[in-house]
Amino acid sequence: MKKMRPYEEITETTELIESGILDSLVILHLAAQLEIAFDVEIADEALTAVNFANADAIAQLVRKSKGI
């Protein structure tokens, strides 16, 4: 995994898993927080690296979970 320095900017396309920002436990916690914040249910099958690769992918997952 690529190490990010603490001061590096995170954008919509920053690779969150490849950069080491997210790992499997953080993804589970983030999914739980997204469910609360956006009143959605994220299916277990949706907890994939592709859906949490970057902020754009996470936003798309939330929209899909809301049926948007």
Side-chain angles (χ1 to χ4, degrees):
M1 282 191 217
K2 176 188 160 206
K3 289 272 188 180
M4 286 192 69
R5 291 180 291 247
Y7 55 84
E8 286 188 73
E9 182 177 340
I10 296 173
T11 67
E12 303 83 29
T13 58
T14 299
E15 292 298 324
L16 301 173
I17 295 172
E18 286 182 18
S19 66
I21 294 170
L22 295 183
D23 62 25
S24 58
L25 291 177
V26 175
I27 287 173
L28 291 175
H29 181 74
L30 177 56
Q33 294 301 311
L34 291 169
E35 289 180 331
I36 293 166
F38 296 101
D39 193 29
V40 297
E41 185 173 329
I42 298 174
D44 290 345
E45 302 81 40
L47 299 176
T48 65
V50 170
N51 287 331
F52 288 86
N54 56 49
D56 281 340
I58 294 168
Q60 183 176 356
L61 173 63
V62 170
R63 285 191 298 271
K64 184 177 178 182
S65 297
K66 285 190 85 65
I68 299 174

